[in-house]
Amino acid sequence: PIELLEDEEQFNSVNFEKEFGVTAYQCDQLTGLKTPPGYTITPGAVMAVCIETADDSSVNYSADTYIEQVVSWSLTQKDPYGRSPFVVNPIQQGSPTILTNYDCSLNEGRKCIARTVAITTFFDN
């Protein structure tokens, strides 16, 4: 049998700081590739946003940081007449609406694709 003894003197406390972030961009709902400039979303189409972990330079993947869940996602349509903006919340408190889903298993948990249907009322404002 193997006996393990825990001795407080054997353990050292380590403190460290890590800078990391996420980057998000509009992407293709199937491939996860960035959509080209000028890409138009129409009512009823699927809109996708990719969210990726980034290191402190916000350019490269962060190899040791993972995304577990998309907690919130909101879309804001500004009113051209200065009234209150129209806001759609496809994900609130970690729960997607019936028209929304997300998958955070891409790139070994370092990339999510969130998808939602662009509802008509978003374009009416």
Side-chain angles (χ1 to χ4, degrees):
I2 298 174
E3 184 175 274
L4 299 175
L5 300 175
E6 291 187 14
D7 184 353
E8 289 183 21
E9 293 178 21
Q10 293 178 358
F11 297 98
N12 294 323
S13 177
V14 177
N15 292 319
F16 67 93
E17 290 184 25
K18 177 175 175 35
E19 299 245 350
F20 67 93
V22 294
T23 183
Y25 52 89
Q26 189 176 341
C27 62
D28 180 270
Q29 66 164 329
L30 300 175
T31 65
L33 298 174
K34 288 184 180 181
T35 54
Y39 180 80
T40 303
I41 299 170
T42 56
V46 174
M47 172 188 212
V49 172
C50 288
I51 306 113
E52 298 183 71
T53 63
D55 65 11
D56 57 358
S57 67
S58 298
V59 176
N60 300 315
Y61 294 116
S62 181
D64 60 353
T65 305
Y66 305 93
I67 303 171
E68 182 178 298
Q69 175 184 33
V70 177
V71 177
S72 66
W73 178 22
S74 63
L75 305 170
T76 303
Q77 174 72 286
K78 292 186 178 179
D79 185 277
Y81 304 106
R83 296 177 294 208
S84 295
F86 181 71
V87 179
V88 176
N89 296 299
I91 301 173
Q92 288 185 6
Q93 299 175 347
S95 298
T97 66
I98 195 166
L99 300 175
T100 305
N101 67 49
Y102 67 88
D103 176 8
C104 291
S105 66
L106 290 84
N107 291 355
E108 298 176 353
R110 291 184 293 273
K111 181 176 181 177
C112 299
I113 295 181
R115 304 170 185 92
T116 193
V117 174
I119 59 175
T120 305
T121 54
F122 188 74
F123 296 88
D124 290 345
N125 193 5

